[in-house]
Structures are given as C-alpha cells and as structure tokens.
Amino acid sequence: MYFPKLSGEFVFLSPVAPEDAALWAGWLNDLSVAVPLGDEAYLTYGLERAQQDVSEAVQRQDHIFTIVEKSSNRPIGRCLLFGVNLVDRCGMVGIFIGERDSRGKGYGQEAMRLLLDFGFNLLNLHNIMLGVFAFNERAIRSYQSLGFHEIGRRRETRWIGGKAYDAILMDMLEEEFRARYASVISAQ
C-alpha cells in the first residue's frame, strides 16, 4: 500500500514499503536502469538483498521514496535523498524510473521537483547535489531544466564497453529552487 507523502500532478512520493523489495530487484537488474546509476550495474542484486536493503532503509528512516503514478497507483521508480548533513545543510539526490513504459513522460522530473521541495523546505537544506555520467544526456537536460548547474567533472571515470565517460557533478541552492518553484509542501 502506498501513501502520498508528497504529491504532484502525475506522481506522488510514498515511503518505501516491504513489498518494494521485489520491484527494486527487478529494476536494478535491468541494465537500462542500472548502467546510468553506476556501480549497481556490476552487482548481483537478488530478492534477498533487496529485502535486506528495504528493511534497513525503513529501520533507519532513510529519505527513500517510491515514485507512484497517480492515475494507476502503480509504483514506477525510486528516488532518495542521501548523505544528508543537517549541520552544513547539504545532501545528495538520486532517482530512476524503473518501469520502461513510464519513461519520457515527465514523471521523473516531477518526482525530482517533489524531492527537492522535501529537501529544501522540510529538511531545510541549502545545497543539494547529484552525480550523472556524461553519456546520460537525457538526464543531464532534465536536471538542467529543473535548475541544476554543473559544478565539476571527473574525466574518463566510467568505462563501459571499452569507452570512457566523464562523471558530472551538478547542484542547486535553496534560493535557486525558491526562485523557480513555489513550494509544493506549503500548497498542500
């Protein structure tokens, strides 16, 4: 069962539930999901490991959410805030749309906006960063359109099929988010 923690027009973010473990295992064994994420592509990730990860995330109360399509109440992906430092008010985000038929519809962008709203307005973060590989041009364009800025690049750090790709770091400051978006949280 999914509970809307943050809700947009097309998707909502729900706290992770035990039944998500099978979804995680399926999604993270799909190379179209795992390769852009990074090391997940090289892991053997079965149901038992997924169940353990979900259980630990729930126990730690991590900021991990299932992305749920509102019209069907179907889980389509996952997003998270991690490395949260409440003293320096910074953290990192990650996201993927695991269901192939839900990609390219703007769901990921809406989910990321909800996650940023959560980070800036509920956790009171000042800086949120992400990493993306240079071959993931669609994600880079999406992050730029959300307001992320490239802040650094580690050259030729990911090798896939004999070709080297850069890792790109991007970030957004809270005032950049506020200038671009009204808070979803305060509107609810």
Side-chain angles (χ1 to χ4, degrees):
M1 177 173 244
Y2 295 102
F3 302 95
K5 179 78 171 180
L6 297 154
S7 191
E9 184 177 352
F10 301 106
V11 299
F12 67 85
L13 305 186
S14 176
V16 172
E19 58 267 22
D20 291 333
L23 294 169
W24 288 19
W27 292 334
L28 292 174
N29 280 295
D30 179 344
L31 290 179
S32 71
V33 172
V35 169
L37 295 177
D39 294 342
E40 289 83 352
Y42 310 115
L43 300 175
T44 303
Y45 195 81
L47 182 57
E48 187 173 311
R49 172 68 190 268
Q51 289 169 331
Q52 179 182 346
D53 287 350
V54 169
S55 176
E56 290 173 1
V58 170
Q59 287 175 353
R60 286 190 309 259
Q61 296 184 338
D62 289 345
H63 306 296
I64 302 177
F65 300 96
T66 299
I67 304 167
V68 180
E69 182 184 54
K70 285 176 88 170
S71 64
S72 65
N73 206 44
R74 178 175 73 128
I76 60 169
R78 183 179 83 184
C79 61
L80 69 155
L81 265 161
F82 63 100
V84 173
N85 177 329
L86 295 176
V87 173
D88 294 324
R89 299 179 56 213
C90 59
M92 294 189 71
V93 290
I95 187 170
F96 65 80
I97 299 297
E99 297 297 326
R100 289 176 183 242
D101 65 342
S102 294
R103 297 179 193 156
K105 295 182 176 182
Y107 294 162
Q109 196 163 33
E110 184 175 69
M112 180 62 82
R113 187 177 51 77
L114 293 169
L115 187 63
L116 291 169
D117 198 12
F118 178 80
F120 288 126
N121 290 310
L122 281 178
L123 298 182
N124 295 306
L125 299 179
H126 176 71
N127 176 294
I128 295 178
M129 183 173 77
L130 61 82
V132 62
F133 294 113
F135 64 81
N136 198 348
E137 295 173 5
R138 191 166 97 186
I140 294 167
R141 285 191 306 273
S142 178
Y143 298 144
Q144 288 170 334
S145 71
L146 281 163
F148 280 92
H149 302 278
E150 183 174 329
I151 58 169
R153 187 177 281 259
R154 185 171 182 192
R155 298 175 299 149
E156 298 184 9
T157 189
R158 178 60 60 177
W159 285 84
I160 300 171
K163 185 167 181 191
Y165 297 94
D166 294 354
I168 300 169
L169 296 177
M170 305 177 86
D171 78 349
M172 182 185 299
L173 300 176
E174 67 180 308
E175 59 265 18
E176 294 167 339
F177 178 80
R178 293 186 204 296
R180 189 178 283 255
Y181 304 103
S183 173
V184 173
I185 292 169
S186 61
Q188 291 184 7

